Amino acid sequence: YGEQNSQAFMDAARQGAIREQELQRVRDYANENPMTGALGSGLIGFASGIAHIPQAAVNAPLELADKALGTDTPKLPRWGFAKEANELAAANSPAVANKELGQAWKDGDFGAMVATNLAQNAPSSAMSMAAMFFPPLRAALLPAMGGTTAGQSYAEGDSAIGSALKGGMEVLGEFASLGAFDGIRAAANKLPLPQKTALAAIVARKIAQAGGEVTAAAASNFIEEAVTQLGQNAVDKYVEHKNVALTDGAMKAGVIGAAAGAAHASPVIAQRAMQPGSVQAVAERAHAIRRALPRYRPAAVAKARKGRRARGQRMVEPDLGIRIVLFRDDDRGARDILE
């Protein structure tokens, strides 16, 4: 019996040594290829989180019932690959991604730290970006993001209650961030713009509106990620009884969140600057110029001082560069157009 135990111990130690060698090769590769390693780490953690959503969802109320009734109800177990997935995700995370803000700045690795963290968070960032710019999808995306966060936390060893709390904080944080994003973007789009020339004003307005979205996304994401990290630290400290400070990683999470938010919204600048769009005549209802019917008259040329609000209604900004279709059966003459 003693020899069997000794042999089993030696086999386990041998397997452990082999596993450690494999993980070390992964670490070396991740440090040599930090962006690839960070993306792989994020994908592994994301997949493990999705796989453990059922366990976190089912076990959380069971754990609450056990605490209230003093029972010990059987729970859904973690998948057998959970430990290996956690180890592989950690091994794929490059060393530069794990540096704190101050150390990364001191070492000249601040940009690399931000970039690798963005790559590591790419799966969840893609969902957050979709929620930003496609509001109808939010009802499905927000619960999915919360569930993935809860599942990943549970896969990493947290209790189901703690995991569910972290998932709920993720949903609330995203909801608040999206609300702030929508509000800041709407306010930024209403700001007055320099009236230099007609073309410059039009282009400036479009770029400024897009720039407002970039600013809104960065600011709202900073707040959301920092607050979410504070909440998750509170769960770790008071629910999971881990030795962490409430502010651990909060500033770093905010900086990474701001960078992710700006990256989400940046493509809007090019799209806004090149988009033809529709133009509204002075103090009149909007005309869909590109979809005009024969009975509609073009709204591209403003009448002189219509309504005596030339400056307030931006008479100097008709966008004559967009595609305007004139129909041969109505208002076809130069006199009609100028009128």
Side-chain angles (χ1 to χ4, degrees), residues 37-327:
L39 181 59
S41 176
L43 290 172
I44 294 169
F46 186 77
S48 180
I50 292 176
H52 285 87
I53 290 176
Q55 288 91 327
V58 172
N59 291 348
L62 294 179
E63 288 183 3
L64 283 174
D66 287 345
K67 287 182 177 294
L69 303 175
T71 57
D72 187 14
T73 308
K75 313 293 190 305
L76 293 180
R78 294 176 176 83
W79 296 111
F81 59 79
K83 180 180 178 181
E84 288 75 11
N86 293 336
E87 292 175 346
L88 192 58
N92 271 282
S93 181
V96 67
N98 301 318
K99 289 187 176 182
E100 295 299 326
L101 292 179
Q103 189 63 43
W105 184 269
K106 182 179 179 180
D107 296 342
D109 292 331
F110 190 84
M113 183 272 295
V114 172
T116 50
N117 275 275
L118 289 176
Q120 204 162 357
N121 295 329
S124 57
S125 293
M127 298 175 71
S128 181
M129 182 176 182
M132 273 188 180
F133 295 106
F134 301 98
L137 299 178
R138 292 176 183 178
L141 288 174
L142 292 181
M145 296 175 70
T148 303
T149 298
Q152 190 167 353
S153 176
Y154 190 72
E156 292 173 353
D158 287 343
S159 66
I161 294 175
S163 300
L165 288 173
K166 290 182 179 180
M169 289 177 183
E170 179 70 22
V171 173
L172 292 176
E174 287 289 339
F175 186 81
S177 173
L178 292 171
F181 170 74
D182 293 340
I184 297 173
R185 178 177 61 177
N189 290 346
K190 295 178 181 178
L191 294 177
L193 299 169
Q195 308 291 320
K196 294 182 179 179
T197 64
L199 181 60
I202 293 166
V203 175
R205 182 174 72 248
K206 290 178 179 178
I207 293 179
Q209 288 173 347
E213 295 189 8
V214 173
T215 303
S220 59
N221 270 36
F222 179 92
I223 297 171
E224 184 262 326
E225 293 296 339
V227 172
T228 300
Q229 185 63 49
L230 289 171
Q232 292 182 353
N233 288 343
V235 173
D236 283 337
K237 185 177 183 67
Y238 299 112
V239 178
E240 302 298 329
H241 305 293
K242 296 180 181 179
N243 185 23
V244 298
L246 290 177
T247 57
D248 282 355
M251 182 60 68
K252 180 178 179 180
V255 170
I256 302 303
H264 293 168
S266 293
V268 180
I269 291 182
Q271 184 265 344
R272 281 289 178 84
M274 298 177 65
Q275 183 180 19
S278 297
V279 178
Q280 183 176 354
V282 177
E284 292 184 353
R285 68 181 181 85
H287 292 265
I289 294 173
R290 288 178 294 166
R291 301 184 297 276
L293 297 176
R295 65 179 180 274
Y296 289 165
R297 297 181 180 183
V301 180
K303 296 180 181 179
R305 296 188 63 79
K306 178 69 176 287
R308 299 185 181 276
R309 288 182 288 173
R311 178 175 298 179
Q313 294 295 330
R314 296 195 177 103
M315 278 183 62
V316 297
E317 294 185 19
D319 187 353
L320 301 180
I322 68 175
R323 297 185 295 275
I324 301 174
V325 180
L326 302 180
F327 291 84

